[in-house]
Amino acid sequence: MNITVYLGAFEGKDASLKQAVRELGMWIGASGNALVYGGSKSGLMGEIAESVLQAGGTVTGVEPKFFMDAELQYDNLTELIVTKDMTERKTKMIELGDAFIAFPGGTGTLEEISEVMSKVSLKQLDAPCILYNLNGYYDSLKALLAHMIEMGLSTPERQQGIYFADSMEEIKQIINRY
């Protein structure tokens, strides 16, 4: 299974992020799954690629040309796909993915997983969309989705396939159901 992971090019201030992203990467690599991610060598993105590769897994990076020009790509990936821009990158990462995980990240992570959430809710994508709610990172988004239902702007059926996982164990359970 190709697991597309969205995450930041920064490490963040919380040391548990680095440990948790390495745990996720080691599991992806050791479990026989493959990683699809943004292709960068920096921050949490570099950490996940390195940990998947160290665990014997395969990694496909999808990097827009302007990041390649800035030499931000992780070398030694199993495959590196260069796109013309961010829009093409998002499309390719969704095409390649069988499951999607948003690790704590910044605005880019939020923007990318939002598109996946929308496709899942519209039944245009039959794949789990998991927000890794490490240390409550996505609590506010979880509350917003519940508020959408309360306000009659969404339904529980529309949000089927969107999951909030507080631990690696929960992520594994969700993925194994698909």
Side-chain angles (χ1 to χ4, degrees), residues 10-12 25 32 37 54 98-99 102 104 134 168:
F10 295 110
E11 286 190 15
Y37 87 117
Q54 286 176 347
D98 300 306
L134 184 67
M168 269 303 304

Side-chain angles (χ1 to χ4, degrees), residues 8-176:
F10 295 110
E11 286 190 15
K13 294 180 180 180
D14 183 347
S16 70
L17 293 173
K18 186 174 179 178
Q19 178 182 342
V21 82
R22 291 195 65 77
E23 181 184 6
L24 175 59
M26 295 296 282
W27 172 75
I28 290 171
S31 65
N33 293 303
L35 172 68
V36 175
Y37 87 117
S40 179
K41 64 183 175 185
S42 56
L44 296 172
M45 292 176 76
E47 290 293 332
I48 198 165
E50 182 177 299
S51 60
V52 171
L53 292 168
Q54 286 176 347
T58 60
V59 178
T60 299
V62 184
E63 190 84 85
K65 184 174 180 333
F66 70 92
F67 282 155
M68 293 290 296
D69 293 343
E71 298 183 6
L72 297 175
Q73 77 277 0
Y74 191 106
D75 294 324
N76 304 318
L77 297 178
T78 310
E79 181 179 12
L80 180 62
I81 298 169
V82 180
T83 63
K84 67 179 180 179
D85 56 27
M86 293 296 280
T87 301
E88 189 177 293
R89 175 200 209 182
K90 284 190 309 176
T91 300
K92 181 53 87 174
M93 290 175 72
I94 291 171
E95 279 176 15
L96 295 172
D98 300 306
F100 301 86
I101 299 173
F103 194 83
T107 55
T109 301
L110 181 60
E111 190 256 343
E112 290 171 317
I113 202 63
S114 292
E115 183 167 342
V116 173
M117 291 168 63
S118 179
K119 287 182 179 294
V120 166
S121 72
L122 294 171
K123 309 298 185 227
Q124 294 179 338
L125 189 59
D126 183 21
C129 175
I130 305 165
L131 292 108
Y132 192 174
N133 196 30
L134 184 67
N135 301 327
Y137 189 81
Y138 285 111
D139 281 350
S140 296
L141 181 56
K142 187 176 186 178
L144 177 60
L145 291 177
H147 185 64
M148 289 174 183
I149 293 170
E150 290 167 15
M151 296 296 295
L153 299 169
S154 186
T155 65
E157 295 77 28
R158 266 285 166 98
Q159 294 184 18
Q160 283 181 340
I162 301 170
Y163 304 93
F164 289 83
D166 295 329
S167 67
M168 269 303 304
E169 226 20 74
E170 286 182 60
I171 289 173
K172 292 175 192 177
Q173 290 170 4
I174 295 165
I175 299 256
N176 287 334

